[in-house]
């Protein structure tokens, strides 16, 4: 049987080429993703940038550290307090020190960051023209020498002013800064962020004590503007590559299993002849396994070679798209190749398992069959697997909607949720193929001529063929509809929430904050009700083990109800005071009147009373406290609502005049909602393009291979049509129509899966008190279905054209049994 298996590989290469290419592509992608993941796990530590030239940097802890039964839990603080002046004085008495401060500055319409000039030397800044600032009104900026001596408008936390540029420094890649004298920077930003100490680390540690950070070596990057930039980028890359690798595994097993199962179904007469010649079921199964093993080994080896070229290309793409640090590159690792090779071989053997069992059941009498009608396409095992996956998928969908609707909106959930339903639909496809095909082809069958009737009968009779071709179309359409539809629906829901919760007519925002004088001027506008809010955070220790950070807004409770329409579940938002908090129903403890222990944005512990509970919605609602419980914050947003009878045009003009010195942005309610409308991040968009691209490539391979396999197996049928009087054009038109009909069936099943998934998302949104319509990417779905139809038609018509060429009659080319 081993010799027979090798001979069948040589003579049936057309039926196995699609499987080979699919496996090779899958292994190449797994090797590529594995090499990328290995390179992220062994990445170098982020280098210091702004303090690369500083021997020791002392800073207050920017993390909240809370002890728990399973260890110390940490979270980054929303508002670090800065170093205590007394500690700075103690350190300055023991060694020379340089104070560092950072504060928002707007120069000539550009948002920059301000620093004292003495700190510039430690970050690689160097003067290329002019001199350092020596007076309060002087600054140094990055740019060209032509700016020296010019007066530029500068807005600082102290307000707007004109400053003279006395020097220019070369730009650096990690920030855009403007430098003031040390005394002026201290006046503008009293908080001491960092202290560079020109002494040995041991001396500094003894003097500073254990409650502050003493940074040396590579740890100095923790004082940089984005200390965790590289780590966050690598975590995002891990999620992206992991998702793509998971989809690759899913689709490759799906395609390989479908292709092998159909190949065995096409070879029933051949296997029947082998059984008639004396082959046992075990020998037939061994033949199938050997074929799969040979294809698996060759395809896996080819895939590993392709992956070695694909990984550097992927790394360059991630760097170019700014999804990876600029230094990221693929390292020399071997284990990803081993994982990819053996996974590919396992996929090949797993995919052939069902086909192997079915092959062993073929009886010798199958050699005498002439009809190609599939009388029994569903086996007991297929029924059990399909029904089990369907029940599991629907059960998980319903459970999430009822028990944890917020989890249904998480990317990991809605990326993997459709896979169970897709697999279940593919396994149960033969059950619905015949009725769906008859329904979709009913109208064409009523038209004059036999083409419509033949399309209907052939597709309904060849259930296995129809299901095998429809399966990859089902995967691609369902993935595209579910993933893109879910993200679009969630984005629409977030926009709906913004619209429902905002009563304000104008929104005023400023990245660096809005000073109290500007807020007071806006409040003086006749007919204006103004709520000033500051973004902060609160922290809770849930179940004694999980330190959870919640976005919070510091507001004046007297103005909250006038400009916001919160989805209140219990309590009264008007009861908010300095001892209270408004929480969402996602909190572990959310009973009105109950006191909860929290840590404020600067790490200060507090015990606050729950005065109201609001619906969490899609996650953007947040909690509310008063300004008393948000120390160190300044308002960054003003919500302005007009009283009845106020002239909106005149009032808006007055607001714009009031905030003009602060350089704040004024937007109407509708314009602000449009600007805040959530969009798909670049990382998510590229990830989905990668995932859907993989699915579409696999679909093309599976469709082309299956259509070629199915068409070459219909040589006798097509010859009969020619002998019956059908012209070449009519035969090719019939084949094209059948291929299109099968793609339509696969598209319909994919849309059915998409509909079920989107109903789950809609249910989750309703459970979260968000009433928003479902959004489907009809353009992408149409393009996907059209591409699948084109591939299927070409894959069917080209081999059919070769089979029907020549004069109709009993010729060897028309009637011999196709191998």
């Amino acid at each position: 049987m081993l010799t027979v298996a090798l001979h069948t590989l040589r003579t049936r290469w057309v039926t196995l080429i699609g499987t080979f290419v699919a496996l090779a592509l899958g292994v190449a992608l797994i090797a590529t993703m594995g090499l990328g993941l290995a390179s992220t796990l062994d990445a170098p530590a982020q280098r210091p940038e702004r303090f690369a030239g500083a021997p020791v940097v002392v800073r207050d802890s920017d993390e909240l550290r809370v002890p728990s039964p399973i260890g110390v839990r940490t979270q980054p603080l929303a508002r670090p307090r800065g170093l205590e002046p007394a500690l700075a004085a103690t350190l300055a008495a023991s060694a020379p020190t340089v104070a560092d401060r950072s504060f928002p500055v707007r120069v000539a319409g550009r948002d920059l960051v301000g620093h004292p000039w003495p700190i510039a030397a430690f970050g690689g800044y160097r003067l290329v023209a002019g001199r350092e600032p020596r007076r309060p009104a002087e600054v140094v900026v990055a740019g060209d020498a032509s700016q020296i001596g010019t007066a530029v408008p500068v807005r600082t936390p102290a307000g707007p002013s004109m400053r003279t540029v006395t020097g220019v420094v070369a730009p650096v890649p990690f920030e855009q800064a403007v430098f003031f004298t040390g005394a002026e920077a201290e006046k503008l930003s009293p908080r001491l962020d960092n202290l560079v100490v020109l002494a040995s680390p041991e001396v500094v540690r003894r003097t500073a004590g254990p409650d502050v950070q003493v940074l040396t070596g590579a740890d100095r990057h923790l004082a940089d503007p984005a200390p965790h930039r590289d780590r966050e980028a690598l975590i995002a890359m891990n999620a992206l590559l992991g998702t793509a690798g998971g989809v690759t595994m899913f689709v490759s097993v799906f395609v390989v299993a479908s292709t092998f199962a159909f190949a065995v179904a096409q070879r029933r007469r051949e296997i029947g002849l082998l059984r008639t010649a004396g082959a046992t079921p075990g020998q037939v199964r061994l033949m199938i396994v050997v074929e799969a093993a040979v294809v698996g080994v060759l395809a896996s080896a080819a895939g590993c070679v392709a992956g070695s070229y694909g990984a550097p290309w992927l790394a360059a793409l991630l760097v170019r798209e700014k999804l990876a640090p600029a230094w990221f590159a693929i390292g020399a690792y071997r284990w990803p190749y081993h994982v990819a090779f053996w996974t590919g071989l396992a996929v090949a053997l797993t995919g052939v398992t069902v086909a192997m069992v079915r092959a062993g059941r073929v009886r010798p009498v199958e050699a005498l069959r002439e009809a190609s009608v599939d009388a029994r396409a569903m086996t007991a095992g297929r029924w059990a697997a399909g029904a089990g996956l369907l029940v599991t998928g629907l059960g998980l969908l319903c459970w999430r909607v009822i028990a944890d609707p917020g989890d249904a909106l998480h990317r990991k959930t809605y990326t993997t949720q459709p896979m169970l339903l897709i697999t279940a639909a593919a396994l149960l496809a033969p059950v619905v193929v015949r009725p769906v095909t008859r329904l979709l082809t009913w109208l064409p069958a009523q038209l004059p001529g036999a083409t419509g009737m033949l399309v209907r009968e052939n597709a309904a009779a060849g259930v296995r063929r129809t299901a095998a071709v429809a399966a990859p179309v089902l995967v691609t359409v369902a993935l595209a509809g579910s993933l893109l539809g879910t993200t679009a629906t969630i984005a629409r829901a977030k926009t709906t929430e913004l619209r429902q919760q905002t009563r304000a007519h104008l929104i005023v925002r400023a990245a660096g904050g809005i000073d109290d004088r500007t807020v007071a001027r806006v409040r003086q506008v006749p007919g204006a009700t103004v709520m000033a809010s500051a973004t902060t955070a609160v922290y809770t220790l849930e179940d004694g083990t999980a330190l959870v950070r919640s976005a919070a807004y510091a507001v004046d409770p007297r103005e909250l109800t006038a400009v916001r329409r919160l989805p209140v579940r219990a309590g009264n938002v008007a009861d908010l005071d300095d001892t209270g908090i408004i929480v969402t129903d996602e909190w572990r403890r959310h009973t009105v009147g109950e006191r909860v222990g929290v840590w404020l944005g600067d790490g200060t512990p507090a015990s606050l009373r729950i005065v109201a509970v609001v619906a969490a919605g899609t996650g953007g609602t947040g909690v509310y406290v008063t300004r008393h419980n948000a120390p160190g914050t300044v308002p960054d947003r003003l919500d302005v609502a007009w009283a009845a009878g106020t002239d909106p045009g005149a009032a808006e003009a007055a607001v714009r005049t009031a905030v003009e010195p602060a350089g704040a942005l004024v937007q109407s309610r509708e314009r602000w909602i449009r600007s805040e409308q959530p969009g798909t991040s670049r990382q998510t968009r590229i990830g989905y393009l990668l995932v859907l691209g993989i699915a579409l490539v696999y679909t093309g391979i599976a469709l082309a291979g299956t259509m070629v396999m199915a068409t070459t197996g219909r040589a006798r049928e097509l010859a009969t049509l020619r002998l019956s009087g059908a012209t070449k054009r009519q035969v090719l038109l019939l084949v094209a129509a059948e291929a299109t009909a099968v793609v339509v069936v696969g598209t319909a099943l994919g849309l059915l899966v998409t509909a079920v998934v989107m109903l789950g998302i809609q249910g989750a949104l309703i459970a979260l008190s968000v009433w928003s319509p479902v959004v489907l990417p009809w353009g992408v779905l149409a393009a996907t279905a059209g591409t699948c139809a084109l591939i299927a038609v070409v894959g069917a018509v080209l081999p059919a054209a070769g089979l029907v060429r020549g004069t109709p009659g009993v010729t060897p080319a028309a009637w011999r049994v196709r191998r």
Side-chain angles (χ1 to χ4, degrees), residues 44 371 459 514 530 558 567 577 591 626 675 704 721 743 793 812:
I514 305 173
V530 182
R558 294 170 299 179
D577 56 21
T591 303
T626 62
S675 68
L721 287 173
V743 170
V793 168

Side-chain angles (χ1 to χ4, degrees), residues 267-276 362-372 716:
R267 298 167 63 184
R268 283 177 298 179
R269 295 188 71 229
E270 173 191 328
I271 296 173
L273 285 171
L274 290 174
R275 295 280 284 118
T276 303
V362 174
R363 298 170 297 173
V365 73
E366 294 288 343
L368 303 177
R369 288 190 58 177
E370 292 290 340
S372 59
R716 295 168 64 91

Side-chain angles (χ1 to χ4, degrees), residues 401-473:
V401 170
I402 296 172
D404 191 4
D407 183 60
L409 306 184
H410 294 164
R411 187 175 61 183
K412 289 183 179 179
T413 301
Y414 65 70
T415 299
T416 57
Q417 178 79 46
M419 294 183 183
L420 287 174
L421 297 174
I422 290 171
T423 308
L427 289 172
L428 298 175
V431 179
V432 298
V433 158
R434 187 172 280 118
V436 170
T437 301
R438 291 189 178 277
L439 176 64
L440 294 175
T441 58
W442 177 83
L443 182 58
Q446 309 307 311
L447 300 175
T451 302
M453 181 270 294
L454 288 174
V455 168
R456 181 186 66 185
E457 297 304 325
N458 283 339
V463 172
R464 286 196 182 100
R465 181 178 70 243
T466 303
V469 176
V473 180

